[in-house]
Amino acid sequence: MRDDAPYGVVVNPSSALGRGARVARVVLASFQAAGVDAVEITGVDAADCQARVRAACKRGLRGIVLVGGDGLIGLVLQVAEARALPIGVVPAGSGNDFARQFGLPRSPAAAVARLLGSEGAPLSVDLGVVERPGHDPHWFAGGLSIGLDAAINRRANAIRLPLGPLRYHLALLAELAVLKSRRFVVQIGAREHSFMGILATVMNTRAIGGGIPLAPSASVHDGMLDLVEVSHGSKLRVLSVLGLLARAKHEHLPEVTITRVPAVKIEAGDELAFSDGELVGSGPFEVRVAPGALTLLA
Ligand SMILES: Nc1ncnc2c1ncn2[C@@H]1O[C@H](COP(=O)(O)OP(=O)(O)OP(=O)(O)O)[C@@H](O)[C@H]1O
């Protein structure tokens, strides 16, 4: 961190179909009002945004402020130079599950005040990393979804309406109609098991899909990830499990296993994984925690 350098305010203009750009104006004005230097960083697309973040980090930044949703957080975490800096988040996406974990204010001015106020004592937060054969390690803040929740994520991303978390709820209903079970092979340390199920998802934070508490007891400070496995049942039973899940009452159901792990390997055939709301690709997935890898201004 360089105290004489400006903050880099990274804006996803397409977050929540345009909210990012509106929120960014308030964020930049709030920095100005606080007498703190800030420069806007925005790209024409995701790859351009990453390149501009990398270049700005090399020029020197005091920290980074992300104005967007979970996808923007995931995007910027892939930039090593950015991960080395203190990072703040101003929620402006559809789901905002990472912001929810820390109770970050929805009001952009309040969010800026909170992150500037935390400069002296930022939080040390765990991240997740997934490695796949032939690919660079992929970092995530929230979770790595494999199975039903990934399918819901893919469908929700395709809904181009400003519906907020409702996008995920509609996608869930559509995916339930075509529900199928998948075979997962899971290896924790030297132990391997397999099961037919609807998901095997690795969570760092508690919620996915705009507040669905998949791993209600997950902590971002324990140096562990929460592996959530849900086995298959009849459609009616899955519906009731999901209903309980939405109210965080699923932890002790026979279909649900939540295991706290430092690392796990998951094979799921050609299932596509999503992390922080964006596509990662197919496995096998070697997932591990990176304890305290993120310095969060919160
Ligand atoms: N110009 C851009 N800059 C950054 N990201 C962009 C840009 N254009 C498109 N994107 C894509 O937008 C994706 C989603 O953005 P973001 O997470 O900010 O909003 P959201 O999807 O509405 O919110 P949430 O992920 O919380 O549901 C990013 O992962 C990124 O791939």
Side-chain angles (χ1 to χ4, degrees):
M1 172 163 30
R2 273 181 42 197
D3 285 351
D4 59 333
Y7 269 99
V9 176
V10 185
V11 184
N12 180 0
S14 66
S15 290
L17 307 183
R19 189 170 139 77
R22 291 193 299 278
V23 170
R25 283 196 287 277
V26 185
V27 169
L28 289 163
S30 304
F31 271 98
Q32 200 174 21
V36 179
D37 259 7
V39 290
E40 183 173 351
I41 303 170
T42 183
V44 291
D45 56 26
D48 186 37
C49 175
Q50 281 177 320
R52 285 169 188 270
V53 168
R54 190 172 292 112
C57 290
K58 285 183 177 153
R59 284 194 295 273
L61 292 176
R62 175 164 162 178
I64 290 183
V65 178
L66 303 177
V67 182
D70 297 312
L72 182 66
I73 299 172
L75 193 76
V76 171
L77 284 183
Q78 309 316 315
V79 179
E81 296 85 347
R83 283 198 309 275
L85 289 171
I87 293 183
V89 174
V90 178
S94 319
N96 303 313
D97 287 310
F98 187 76
R100 186 172 283 112
Q101 177 84 17
F102 300 92
L104 298 183
R106 286 286 288 177
S107 143
V112 171
R114 171 148 165 195
L115 74 88
L116 286 177
S118 75
E119 267 190 325
L123 298 178
S124 200
V125 170
D126 299 340
L127 292 175
V129 189
V130 54
E131 303 208 31
R132 300 181 300 128
H135 294 271
D136 287 338
H138 184 96
W139 292 73
F140 61 89
L144 182 78
S145 294
I146 310 170
L148 177 65
D149 46 339
I152 291 169
N153 204 154
R154 185 166 43 166
R155 200 179 279 270
N157 286 0
I159 300 176
R160 307 305 297 162
L161 291 169
L163 297 175
L166 191 60
R167 267 166 75 199
Y168 294 101
H169 303 153
L170 289 177
L172 186 149
L173 290 178
E175 278 303 320
L176 275 181
V178 293
L179 183 71
K180 61 169 186 177
S181 76
R182 294 107 167 143
R183 182 178 164 76
F184 297 98
V185 181
V186 176
Q187 192 182 332
I188 303 169
R191 289 195 181 173
E192 184 179 287
H193 67 272
S194 67
F195 70 103
M196 292 301 291
I198 59 171
L199 63 86
T201 281
V202 187
M203 295 295 291
N204 185 38
T205 56
R206 289 186 293 270
I208 54 168
I212 298 171
L214 188 59
S217 312
S219 160
V220 289
H221 305 296
D222 61 354
M224 300 288 254
L225 298 168
D226 281 27
L227 167 67
V228 184
E229 296 165 281
V230 180
S231 62
H232 194 61
S234 68
K235 236 177 222 185
L236 205 59
R237 180 62 193 160
V238 170
L239 203 60
S240 119
V241 169
L242 292 177
L244 290 163
L245 199 155
R247 287 176 282 141
K249 293 199 158 120
H250 59 296
E251 277 178 289
H252 303 295
L253 296 176
E255 293 88 350
V256 178
T257 311
I258 302 183
T259 317
R260 204 148 280 170
V261 295
V264 58
K265 182 173 177 187
I266 301 172
E267 289 179 45
D270 56 4
E271 287 294 320
L272 296 175
F274 278 67
S275 81
D276 296 333
E278 300 302 315
L279 177 66
V280 174
S282 58
F285 309 96
E286 292 205 25
V287 194
R288 63 181 161 83
V289 69
L294 173 68
T295 302
L296 183 70
L297 295 165

